[in-house]
């Protein structure tokens, strides 16, 4: 999966399940998702959405706040998982 495609998938998951106060497709790659309205409950929904869409399981060690801090952080965390498939 290309970087652009992964970024779009992440933004789609955030738009669908993240309950952000801003448009997930317009937020900067390094913008703080928690400041944009992401909550711990919404994070769980984003995890489920990403796992379903990407057909992966996000390991427990990645289920930390820093993984979901920004679109860029998510991309960096998920890219290696997709490379392993």
């Amino acid at each position: 999966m290309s970087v652009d495609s992964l970024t779009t998938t992440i933004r789609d998951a955030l738009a669908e399940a993240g309950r952000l106060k801003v448009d997930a497709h317009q937020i900067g790659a390094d913008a703080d998702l928690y400041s944009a309205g992401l909550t711990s409950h919404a994070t769980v929904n984003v995890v489920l959405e990403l796992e379903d869409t990407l057909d992966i399981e996000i390991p427990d060690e990645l289920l930390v706040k820093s993984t979901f801090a920004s679109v860029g952080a998510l991309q960096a965390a998920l890219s290696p998982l997709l490379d392993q498939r």
Side-chain angles (χ1 to χ4, degrees):
M1 173 177 276
S2 73
V3 172
D4 289 341
S5 180
L6 177 56
T7 300
T8 299
T9 300
I10 291 168
R11 290 179 185 281
D12 289 346
L14 288 166
E16 179 70 27
R19 300 185 190 150
L20 301 180
K21 297 181 261 184
V22 297
D23 182 354
H25 295 282
Q26 300 300 318
I27 195 166
D30 294 327
D32 185 338
L33 294 176
Y34 293 100
S35 293
L38 188 65
T39 64
S40 58
H41 179 75
T43 301
V44 172
N45 293 332
V46 170
V47 167
L48 296 173
E49 184 74 23
L50 287 168
E51 288 182 333
D52 285 346
T53 302
L54 297 171
D55 194 29
I56 60 170
E57 183 173 333
I58 299 173
D60 290 345
E61 59 268 15
L62 291 180
L63 298 177
V64 294
K65 188 173 183 177
S66 61
T67 299
F68 299 87
S70 67
V71 172
L74 274 165
Q75 182 180 344
L78 297 178
S79 287
L81 298 177
L82 296 172
D83 291 342
Q84 294 174 3
R85 296 188 306 168

